[in-house]
Amino acid sequence: MTNTTDNGRKGRVAVLGAGTMGAGIAQVAATAGFSVALFDVSKAQIDKARAGIAQSLEKLASKGKIDAPTKERALAAIAAFESVEDAVRDASFVVEAAPERMELKRELFLAVDRAAPADALLGSNTSSLSITEIASVVKDPTRVVGLHFFNPVPLMELLEVVRGVRTTDAVVDRALAFAKDLGKTPIVVRDFPGFATSRLGVVIGCEAIRMLEQGVASAEDIDRAMELGYRHPMGPLKLGDLVGLDVRLAILEHLHKELGEQFRPPALLRQMVRAGKLGKKSGEGFYKWDADGPKKA
Ligand code: NAD
């Protein structure tokens, strides 16, 4: 939106969920000049998100990608809230980035609907779930749209805008303008399980895990195959670690149910999630992760 509020900043963006994606979305919105209201059920996650955002902004400033005043203003523009209702009360845009579970997202949108301004755009960062179904719980489903960001949000250019069955053209146009305001390049897809990106991305990720199970090659060599042979910037197993193996499993379970056998989650992936090996966020997945990045597990 073009109006400015909150001490001269553009409208307010409420981000619900301060995990891997919520933190990145909050950072990008604050850097683009919005004020940001951040909500998470876990206070520890809010603290972790704040520390991560400060570190990421510092890194961008040291590389000359943003200047020092922008960094300071962005940090100051992010406020934490203790309830969904308070976070969304003055929002122009709501972006939900909570775990990939339909029941949880529906509950959150019910709370959002109680308190958000009637003209706020309601977005979900879901990777695979139906925007139409999420929208079905709010009074005006025409204003609900998928806003699918990519990880790490500050570096990834794409924003996949997902049009639900009832989403209006005006709302899609507003989402496209929001994407551009955040410095992203949008694509528009119809609401269909896995949209364009997750459906294609998890096929490669899933096959790479099966190849590891079958002893075709080491994790490092499977990744190198795609990095050097196909110019992927990051191999599929490393990417799975970065996304979060629990997130990947939730997406696969949903796509398996909706689209069939080719998306059946590999047994190895289930075992790793049960063992708490979730990838970068837990320190170990197909690789071991520390501040310097991935190492052989
Ligand atoms: P995450 O596990 O890193 O973070 C989820 C956060 O939501 C946690 O901090 C958790 O405390 C919080 N949460 C739990 N219940 C909540 C509630 N009721 N209200 C508010 N917050 C709540 O997950 P993530 O990777 O950030 O994924 C979030 C969403 O983004 C999912 O829908 C996922 O599919 C999607 N997504 C993830 C990626 C990725 O690479 N990880 C990429 C694109 C989209």
Side-chain angles (χ1 to χ4, degrees):
M1 293 198 97
T2 47
N3 62 318
T4 55
T5 54
D6 287 346
N7 301 325
R9 296 191 71 79
K10 297 172 183 171
R12 175 176 290 200
V13 178
V15 180
L16 311 178
T20 310
M21 297 304 288
I25 296 163
Q27 176 181 330
V28 164
T31 308
F34 290 91
S35 82
V36 175
L38 191 56
F39 167 75
D40 198 291
V41 285
S42 153
K43 165 89 173 53
Q45 279 293 125
I46 294 272
D47 294 343
K48 193 173 162 197
R50 269 194 193 288
I53 291 169
Q55 203 180 26
S56 169
L57 287 170
E58 184 58 54
K59 210 163 157 185
L60 291 171
S62 72
K63 287 184 178 165
K65 302 242 158 97
I66 55 170
D67 59 23
T70 303
K71 182 189 89 174
E72 293 308 327
R73 281 198 295 267
L75 276 175
I78 301 173
F81 286 81
E82 289 188 358
S83 77
V84 184
E85 285 83 355
D86 287 343
V88 303
R89 206 169 305 283
D90 297 317
S92 311
F93 298 94
V94 175
V95 186
E96 168 274 316
E100 189 76 340
R101 294 205 303 274
M102 178 56 79
E103 218 177 277
L104 191 152
K105 291 193 191 284
R106 287 170 63 113
E107 261 172 43
L108 259 176
F109 272 78
L110 273 175
V112 168
D113 205 29
R114 283 194 291 272
D119 62 352
L121 179 144
L122 309 184
S124 171
N125 187 47
T126 178
S127 308
S128 61
L129 300 176
S130 165
I131 292 299
T132 308
E133 186 174 348
I134 294 172
S136 69
V137 302
V138 306
K139 287 190 282 296
D140 176 12
T142 66
R143 62 174 172 150
V144 179
V145 67
L147 295 175
H148 185 204
F149 290 83
F150 291 79
N151 185 8
V153 184
L155 302 183
M156 300 296 282
E157 198 187 332
L158 182 65
L159 180 63
E160 189 173 37
V161 172
V162 185
R163 173 197 280 271
V165 168
R166 291 181 186 273
T167 314
T168 55
D169 287 347
V171 167
V172 171
D173 286 347
R174 228 176 120 194
L176 295 177
F178 182 49
K180 289 183 187 137
D181 233 350
L182 297 179
K184 303 297 179 198
T185 302
I187 59 166
V188 180
V189 302
R190 181 166 78 80
D191 186 18
F192 200 86
F195 316 134
T197 51
S198 301
R199 186 164 165 188
L200 288 169
V202 301
V203 166
I204 297 178
C206 196
E207 210 50 40
I209 300 171
R210 289 198 189 102
M211 285 164 62
L212 193 63
E213 279 179 331
Q214 291 159 354
V216 174
S218 66
E220 295 76 24
D221 279 352
I222 291 171
D223 278 346
R224 246 176 244 131
M226 297 310 282
E227 288 162 8
L228 303 182
Y230 287 85
R231 292 212 180 170
H232 284 205
M234 186 182 282
L237 297 169
K238 216 177 286 167
L239 182 61
D241 270 6
L242 190 72
V243 166
L245 298 185
D246 53 339
V247 175
R248 268 283 155 96
L249 178 60
I251 297 169
L252 275 171
E253 279 173 338
H254 177 66
L255 293 186
H256 180 224
K257 202 170 71 191
E258 295 278 341
L259 299 177
E261 206 43 32
Q262 87 199 86
F263 291 99
R264 177 184 288 282
L268 175 62
L269 178 64
R270 276 192 200 288
Q271 273 176 339
M272 290 178 73
V273 171
R274 284 182 185 138
K277 293 185 181 184
L278 306 182
K280 185 181 178 203
K281 65 181 159 189
S282 73
E284 185 175 355
F286 295 109
Y287 294 82
K288 282 196 192 305
W289 291 79
D290 59 25
D292 299 327
K295 311 253 167 358
K296 195 173 178 335

